[in-house]
Amino acid sequence: MKETWISEAQNAMAHAHVPYSHFPVGACLVTKEGEIYTGCNIENASFGLSNCAERTAFFKAVSEGRKEFQHLVITGNTKEPISPCGACRQVMAEFCEPDMPVTLVSESGKTKEMTVKELIPYTFTDAQL
Ligand code: THU
């Protein structure tokens, strides 16, 4: 199962629009029902408008009414398993349970298993609003 999700994330990297960084990232977000939403990073000549792969996957899923997730895979052409950016960690915290597993994958396929809570401890959430 997880191998499929890793392949889906790696395949999504092929769609990355990265003319500025040349750093493709892929994501595979899995709903509790087992549906798959993939994402890639999409950059813009106005750099600040660029969207990360993980957030592309979350926004695709949420915009189609999915809000319950069981797993996220993130892939990059990195030596060590890719480390997601802070903005994406905050989006994970919005939509995922703290114990949800996140698999980080390097270019060679080396993996690191983490949870959302490990990636973003002491998170700002709606509990504080
Ligand atoms: N990037 C992601 O897609 N996800 C991350 O978690 C880290 C960074 C993208 C943003 C930009 O397109 C490129 O990687 C270089 O920062």
Side-chain angles (χ1 to χ4, degrees), residues 18 21 23 25 41 43 50-54 82-85 88:
V18 288
S21 74
F23 185 80
V25 181
N41 46 339
E43 298 180 348
S50 299
N51 201 60
C52 290
E54 303 91 311
I82 188 166
S83 175
C85 83
C88 290

Side-chain angles (χ1 to χ4, degrees), residues 46-61:
S46 178
F47 298 159
L49 298 181
S50 299
N51 201 60
C52 290
E54 303 91 311
R55 280 179 289 149
T56 301
F58 273 104
F59 297 160
K60 281 170 68 178

Side-chain angles (χ1 to χ4, degrees), residues 48-96:
L49 298 181
S50 299
N51 201 60
C52 290
E54 303 91 311
R55 280 179 289 149
T56 301
F58 273 104
F59 297 160
K60 281 170 68 178
V62 174
S63 68
E64 293 189 20
R66 310 304 193 268
K67 281 196 190 172
E68 302 222 303
F69 305 110
Q70 60 166 297
H71 204 108
L72 174 66
V73 173
I74 311 167
T75 58
N77 288 334
T78 45
K79 190 155 179 276
E80 296 301 322
I82 188 166
S83 175
C85 83
C88 290
R89 293 177 196 222
Q90 182 67 31
V91 171
M92 289 176 213
E94 180 74 23
F95 294 110
C96 306

Side-chain angles (χ1 to χ4, degrees), residues 92-93 96-100 102 114-123:
M92 289 176 213
C96 306
E97 284 151 22
D99 288 326
M100 194 188 90
V102 181
M114 297 192 72
T115 62
V116 168
K117 150 176 93 188
E118 286 171 335
L119 285 165
I120 181 160
Y122 195 59
T123 322

